[in-house]
Amino acid sequence: MKQLKFDAAVIGGGAAGMSAAAELRSRGCSALVIEREEELGGILMQCIHNGFGLIEFNEELSGPEFAQKIEERAVASGIEALCGTTVLEIRQEGGFHVVYGVSSRHGVVRVEAKAVVLAMGCRERNRGNIRIPGSRPSGVYTAGLAQRLVNIDGYIPGKDVVIIGSGDIGLIMARRLSWSGCKIHGVVEILPYPSGLTRNIVQCLEDFGIPLYLSHLTTNIRGKDRVQGVEITPVENGAVRYDKSFEIPCDTVLLSVGLVPENELSRNLGVEINPATNGPWVDSRLMTNIPGVFACGNVLHVHDLVDYVAEEARRAGAFAADWLAGASPQRELRLKTGSNVRYLNPSKVDPDRENKIYLRSMVVKNGAVLEARIDGRVVKSIKKAHVQPSEMLFLTLGPKDLAEPDQRTASQSAQVEIAIV
Amino acid sequence: MTDRTGRYDVAIIGAGVCGANIARKLSQYELKVALLEKEIDVSLGTSKANSGIVHGGFHDNKKYLKARLELKGALMFERLHDELDFPFERCGIVVVALHEDELRTIEQLYLQGVENGVIGIEMCSRERMLELEPKLSSDTVGGLYAPSGGIVEPYRFVFSLVESARKNGVDLVTEFAAALARREGDDWIITALDGREIRAKYVVNSAGLFADTLSKAFGAEDFAIKPRKGEYYLLDKMTKAKPNRVIFPVPTAVSKGMLIIPTVEGTVLIGPTASAVEDKEDFSTTRVELEKILQSARTMIPSISETDVITSFAGLRPVCGEDFIIELSAKAPHLVQVAAIQSPGLTASPAIGEYVKDLLKKDGLRLVEKPDWDPCVEKVRRARDLSPWELDEMVAKDPAYGDIVCRCERVSEAEIVKAIRAGHTTLDGIKYVTRAQMGRCQGGFCTYKIIKILMRETGMGYEEVTKRGGGSYVLRGEL
């Protein structure tokens, strides 16, 4: 069995993994990226549309271009990578984290690492997860699978398509398949507002005249061998109006109904998972409950933009390097989700430095204010013209915001509550 | 494959769990046997979608043929498991009582189990039940424990039986939809929908849901098989609600109720519902029935969560009266009826193989044992069952073991290639043999890889790739 030793093992070679590894290298730590596909880049490689990189590189790039730039940066920093290698498990052996991976080239590889960065990304929710009843014909795909088939393998999954869910991948695929000569008969969304980015609603649906059925539930998939149609039903004031159900004939159903962080490896390692994100609970350093195990990117929580993933992963790499150097925060304050906030990541802050916090709203609201409070005292407030669940928000809290006004009340149990009002 | 000129001693119609067991049993003898299946692969009917249980032998009275065959069949699984390649585990069964009233039924089941000779059956206090199954509801008042009950992967069982039968000379003829039958001399001529013909002296009607129409085609008994649908939810193996044993509710007069089954491969199955339907090809699930499953399962294990659901599916039980119909036809010569095999058909099926062999013998079929009958098939090593060290050794022998195609169920390319080479050339066929596409992502990540391997191994064009044969094509064009 091939044996390797690194300061840090990074699980996953997408934007998150490569960025974290590059940061570790730039701080003098050895880092190995383990990637199951034959090349680095992760899911970006099938995202051939534009819209990536506006924040990270200040230019508009396609997915593969974005991946290439991140990869160049990582390679220049001196990372090592094992591609075509599936991680089987991560264990604790003799004070080390030990990662077992397998590939056809090397067989099983045993990697001893002092730190591990989890960067496995996420998977698509599927028909079973949202429990759509009906028959089980061929022609039902997740949008990402369809994207892969079209953009990389060059196959058209079907001609007459209904897309369930208004997530970004589904919207992108509506445009992609329209360009390829397919007819998109509609996008069906159970919520009263779209789940994808506004720019995608405009560019991928409105520009192509594709109907968007908001507040509609998919109540049946019909077809014996191949899909023949889907039944959709309006939801009015919370009531499913079966009397108003109608069918849209089609031969293909694409599902774009959300993403789930892929944390099976983490769970088996003993990492505690936040049910609000399906990602690990992490402290102010993006470290999980297991010392030396960090998480970043879509395995931590699902991001809207890969630019945010790269940014977060860089921080994870830096925190891992600090941890390897023996540094740790003197104290941490717990973050608490206040009104209208679904989750906060990370869930703790270090009051002695700047902290970047990603969060999601639970509500659609115009003229909202993002507030951080300690013991009811507002320490920071940011005006937002518009918030909605599908657009991730962030704020930063630094020593100035988190300083104790009165040293006598300083305590370890202090909490910072973040709310949208 | 098809033998137009030759004559078979026995033609078995229907390659579900009964047909497969009968075929394998007959492969022990110097006979020419054909196993005919209307679908593109075996085990795609009732045998595919059921609870996958080796029952505990306490639900039915021995006056029923089904109970006698269940008791006999249940004892045959260890040996089959040794010889063949399918997952099986005697994990035990508990029946949970949630009200004092239900304890009376528990006692009846216990007494019936004792009378049926079930080994190790016991009545359990609330404390004993919660010790066995700590995840049970705090409403539990007691129950029954039958340690001999077990779990089995039903389609893998059928695949392996058929592989064994073929290895010992049985001809499998798929996509042969038997439609007509006529007598020619002392033989039956069976004609398929596509016009192909098979000649055989003896015929076994193990056509499952379609045993009634087939019986009529042979001019035999007139009975009606009514499909009774059972819907299931499959839960992710990461679920926190997984019990140690199969959990039954207290049965009612009409049904054994909805179960919680820890499958041999680690997932959890909940169901089945029971509703009469008309269409024998209606495998659709319904909102109303699926809701019942979650409700019922939660009364027993409250921590079952809908977020653990990875898929739902439905199976159809072939129902005709209360008992199995396994007999020589009184109207048509040399025809054995194997019909109405509902629960506990899977458990009974090995015994059904023996029973049908005896019926054929009684009807004059000469049985001479083959001296070189080989009961064993190759046990395919599965990447998911191997330690890192064992997997390393396998990759050294066959590098394709190092390419993990299905991440959720950890299925290697080597296993997929073996399945294709064994004749499973549809996405569903590959799924049921290897478990690739069966996990939490339901093929989201691996389907395109499997399509590629399938095209490479078989030389199929993209337009020939199907989910399960017929019109279930997967791709509709190229860019």
Side-chain angles (χ1 to χ4, degrees):
Chain A
M1 190 182 289
K2 192 177 159 112
Q3 311 255 358
L4 299 168
K5 275 190 183 186
F6 281 85
D7 289 331
V10 179
I11 319 297
M18 288 192 287
S19 302
E23 191 63 27
L24 275 154
R25 276 302 299 138
S26 73
R27 289 169 186 250
C29 305
S30 62
L32 174 72
V33 172
I34 307 174
E35 165 58 43
R36 68 183 127 222
E37 298 302 324
E38 285 301 328
E39 52 181 9
L40 296 171
I43 210 72
L44 283 166
M45 304 309 282
Q46 68 183 53
C47 302
I48 62 170
H49 53 282
N50 275 1
F52 302 93
L54 289 167
I55 302 167
E56 184 72 13
F57 295 107
N58 207 17
E59 59 178 316
E60 191 168 13
L61 303 168
S62 70
E65 285 169 340
F66 186 97
Q68 195 185 345
K69 279 185 171 273
I70 295 272
E71 185 179 341
E72 280 164 7
R73 213 189 250 173
V75 168
S77 75
I79 66 153
E80 290 183 50
L82 271 182
C83 288
T85 304
T86 302
V87 172
L88 303 168
E89 64 176 312
I90 311 169
R91 295 186 197 173
Q92 319 276 316
E93 288 178 13
F96 285 97
H97 301 294
V98 177
V99 181
Y100 290 92
V102 68
S103 69
S104 51
R105 244 187 326 276
H106 301 299
V108 176
V109 182
R110 180 179 182 277
V111 183
E112 251 181 45
K114 292 175 205 141
V116 170
V117 180
L118 304 172
M120 293 89 77
C122 55
R123 67 169 174 272
E124 296 178 277
R125 294 216 295 158
N126 56 48
R127 177 180 176 181
N129 299 144
I130 59 166
R131 300 182 287 133
I132 307 174
S135 56
R136 302 173 74 223
S138 72
V140 182
Y141 305 96
T142 57
L145 173 58
Q147 187 180 45
R148 161 82 206 195
L149 288 168
V150 176
N151 289 349
I152 299 197
D153 301 319
Y155 297 116
I156 306 276
K159 305 279 189 188
D160 291 282
V161 183
V162 170
I163 297 175
I164 299 174
S166 59
D168 288 308
I169 313 169
L171 301 175
I172 298 287
M173 283 312 292
R175 177 174 65 183
R176 183 72 184 91
L177 288 171
S178 296
W179 279 337
S180 306
C182 306
K183 174 86 183 150
I184 315 299
H185 295 271
V187 172
V188 184
E189 170 60 58
I190 186 174
L191 297 172
Y193 50 86
S195 308
L197 298 172
T198 310
R199 70 173 193 213
N200 285 332
I201 296 290
V202 176
Q203 294 169 11
C204 302
L205 300 188
E206 290 174 9
D207 289 359
F208 291 84
I210 296 169
L212 172 61
Y213 298 95
L214 294 175
S215 300
H216 277 72
L217 180 65
T218 306
T219 41
N220 198 7
I221 294 179
R222 203 176 54 74
K224 185 173 167 279
D225 286 339
R226 176 85 191 190
V227 174
Q228 290 175 312
V230 295
E231 179 194 76
I232 71 173
T233 305
V235 181
E236 292 175 3
N237 304 320
V240 184
R241 295 295 302 267
Y242 289 99
D243 54 321
K244 293 185 179 174
S245 298
F246 59 100
E247 181 166 316
I248 310 178
C250 59
D251 69 3
T252 303
V253 176
L254 297 192
L255 292 160
S256 180
V257 290
L259 301 164
V260 190
E262 279 240 295
N263 274 298
E264 284 65 36
L265 277 175
S266 334
R267 280 199 173 94
N268 288 333
L269 173 65
V271 169
E272 285 168 13
I273 302 294
N274 176 354
T277 56
N278 287 308
W281 287 105
V282 288
D283 66 11
S284 68
R285 302 169 278 180
L286 304 180
M287 189 164 88
T288 66
N289 60 303
I290 298 189
V293 177
F294 298 79
C296 58
N298 285 341
V299 83
L300 179 56
H301 59 127
V302 176
H303 297 59
D304 310 345
L305 298 179
V306 71
D307 301 75
Y308 298 149
V309 167
E311 184 278 324
E312 182 180 87
R314 234 181 349 263
R315 279 189 285 130
F319 291 135
D322 288 347
W323 185 84
L324 284 166
S328 63
Q330 297 201 323
R331 59 204 178 112
E332 289 187 308
L333 303 179
R334 203 177 82 82
L335 290 180
K336 185 181 170 211
T337 53
S339 316
N340 302 321
V341 173
R342 189 151 73 86
Y343 71 78
L344 298 158
N345 234 330
S347 56
K348 287 178 182 167
V349 285
D350 176 350
D352 299 318
R353 61 165 173 81
E354 290 296 321
N355 296 269
K356 184 161 189 174
I357 300 146
Y358 284 117
L359 66 147
R360 265 183 209 280
S361 169
M362 298 180 89
V363 294
V364 180
K365 194 173 166 110
N366 289 320
V369 180
L370 198 54
E371 266 184 15
R373 307 181 199 122
I374 299 177
D375 295 333
R377 174 174 57 89
V378 176
V379 297
K380 186 159 195 171
S381 80
I382 302 165
K383 290 201 170 93
K384 291 276 167 193
H386 179 78
V387 298
Q388 64 186 53
S390 62
E391 311 243 353
M392 203 162 83
L393 305 167
F394 68 89
L395 85 160
T396 54
L397 290 177
K400 236 171 45 206
D401 311 309
L402 301 170
E404 297 291 347
D406 179 349
Q407 287 302 318
R408 283 172 303 178
T409 64
S411 80
Q412 289 294 322
S413 62
Q415 289 186 356
V416 186
E417 182 177 350
I418 294 174
I420 293 170
V421 291
Chain B
M1 197 169 70
T2 331
D3 194 342
R4 275 169 213 259
T5 48
R7 164 184 185 265
Y8 287 101
D9 296 304
V10 185
I12 302 159
I13 304 176
V17 75
C18 292
N21 268 291
I22 296 162
R24 179 171 187 265
K25 188 70 217 170
L26 294 182
S27 77
Q28 283 180 249
Y29 305 97
E30 300 284 3
L31 295 170
K32 234 167 134 327
V33 178
L35 177 60
L36 313 180
E37 171 54 50
K38 74 179 167 64
E39 301 293 333
I40 196 167
D41 208 335
V42 304
S43 195
L44 289 183
T46 302
S47 302
K48 174 186 74 178
N50 58 70
S51 301
I53 288 179
V54 173
H55 280 280
F58 54 82
H59 272 108
D60 291 305
N61 190 289
K62 267 199 287 190
K63 72 181 182 195
Y64 293 111
L65 176 63
K66 66 179 179 183
R68 298 194 298 275
L69 291 172
E70 173 193 344
L71 291 166
K72 190 171 169 211
L75 298 176
M76 296 167 76
F77 274 84
E78 266 79 9
R79 178 149 178 202
L80 289 164
H81 180 59
D82 285 344
E83 293 169 348
L84 302 175
D85 182 27
F86 67 95
F88 161 70
E89 200 186 310
R90 229 176 252 289
C91 62
I93 289 174
V94 298
V95 184
V96 50
L98 298 171
H99 309 285
E100 289 294 331
D101 295 352
E102 292 185 332
L103 286 175
R104 281 200 288 275
T105 315
I106 293 284
E107 191 178 2
Q108 285 166 8
L109 291 175
Y110 170 75
L111 292 172
Q112 187 151 274
V114 170
E115 196 193 315
N116 287 352
V118 175
I119 297 160
I121 194 165
E122 57 174 285
M123 281 192 67
C124 303
S125 64
R126 172 191 153 84
E127 194 180 356
R128 172 75 170 138
M129 286 296 283
L130 292 173
E131 174 192 77
L132 291 168
E133 295 296 337
K135 287 167 187 154
L136 282 177
S137 161
S138 56
D139 293 340
T140 302
V141 295
L144 182 77
Y145 174 36
S148 64
I151 45 180
V152 59
E153 226 177 54
Y155 29 87
R156 284 272 303 279
F157 180 42
V158 179
F159 291 146
S160 201
L161 286 162
V162 172
E163 184 188 347
S164 169
R166 292 178 73 186
K167 189 175 173 185
N168 290 293
V170 170
D171 286 339
L172 171 68
V173 187
T174 53
E175 295 183 276
F176 188 99
L180 301 168
R182 64 175 194 276
R183 295 293 289 172
E184 211 174 273
D186 204 21
D187 293 337
W188 284 107
I189 309 288
I190 309 161
T191 311
L193 279 180
D194 61 6
R196 281 183 288 167
E197 291 191 338
I198 294 253
R199 175 185 286 262
K201 176 148 196 225
Y202 290 86
V203 174
V204 176
N205 172 16
S206 53
L209 290 159
F210 300 91
D212 51 354
T213 45
L214 207 72
S215 179
K216 286 186 198 92
F218 280 84
E221 283 75 7
D222 191 5
F223 53 87
I225 301 286
K226 295 287 183 199
R228 188 188 292 154
K229 191 189 280 185
E231 300 185 25
Y232 293 90
Y233 269 136
L234 186 68
L235 310 183
D236 194 338
K237 50 179 72 164
M238 299 298 284
T239 178
K240 290 179 184 137
K242 180 157 54 188
N244 305 314
R245 299 166 186 78
V246 180
I247 313 278
F248 276 73
V250 170
T252 63
V254 290
S255 163
K256 287 175 184 162
M258 286 182 255
L259 329 178
I260 304 168
I261 305 152
T263 71
V264 202
E265 293 285 5
T267 50
V268 174
L269 196 58
I270 55 177
T273 57
S275 55
V277 293
E278 290 301 315
D279 183 355
K280 290 178 177 177
E281 297 188 334
D282 174 10
F283 292 96
S284 64
T285 51
T286 57
R287 184 178 39 86
V288 176
E289 294 292 308
L290 289 176
E291 276 310 308
K292 285 187 201 162
I293 300 175
L294 278 174
Q295 273 176 19
S296 162
R298 283 197 189 118
T299 62
M300 297 188 288
I301 297 186
S303 57
I304 284 177
S305 161
E306 59 257 49
T307 59
D308 291 329
V309 173
I310 56 179
T311 191
S312 59
F313 61 89
L316 297 175
R317 310 167 178 89
V319 181
C320 178
E322 278 188 45
D323 207 348
F324 296 164
I325 301 171
I326 307 177
E327 60 200 17
L328 282 162
S329 171
K331 292 174 80 178
H334 302 323
L335 176 72
V336 181
Q337 306 275 22
V338 182
I341 312 298
Q342 49 162 317
S343 177
L346 178 65
T347 313
S349 64
I352 292 174
E354 300 252 356
Y355 192 79
V356 170
K357 181 258 303 176
D358 291 339
L359 287 176
L360 288 166
K361 187 176 175 193
K362 198 170 119 195
D363 198 35
L365 182 68
R366 227 169 80 84
L367 300 176
V368 179
E369 283 191 27
K370 280 180 192 161
D372 57 346
W373 184 69
D374 181 357
C376 296
V377 301
E378 183 205 354
K379 288 188 191 286
V380 175
R381 304 296 299 274
R382 314 263 164 192
R384 66 177 164 278
D385 298 331
L386 303 177
S387 72
W389 291 268
E390 292 167 322
L391 184 56
D392 195 40
E393 281 171 25
M394 284 307 290
V395 181
K397 285 184 225 154
D398 179 356
Y401 269 98
D403 283 322
I404 303 299
V405 173
C406 167
R407 62 175 77 163
C408 306
E409 294 293 314
R410 191 178 294 168
V411 183
S412 69
E413 179 162 332
E415 294 154 62
I416 290 171
V417 168
K418 278 179 206 276
I420 295 169
R421 292 187 183 160
H424 304 287
T425 55
T426 63
L427 294 184
D428 274 4
I430 293 167
K431 173 168 80 177
Y432 292 121
V433 178
T434 68
R435 293 190 71 76
Q437 316 159 71
M438 210 181 256
R440 59 184 70 88
C441 92
Q442 289 284 297
F445 284 118
C446 63
T447 300
Y448 74 88
K449 295 184 182 178
I450 296 169
I451 292 173
K452 240 184 239 176
I453 298 168
L454 186 56
M455 286 165 65
R456 183 191 75 207
E457 289 293 316
T458 61
M460 275 182 195
Y462 74 85
E463 70 285 356
E464 295 171 276
V465 176
T466 65
K467 184 166 155 63
R468 51 169 173 267
S472 65
Y473 51 84
V474 172
L475 301 169
R476 293 221 54 195
E478 275 181 294
L479 276 189

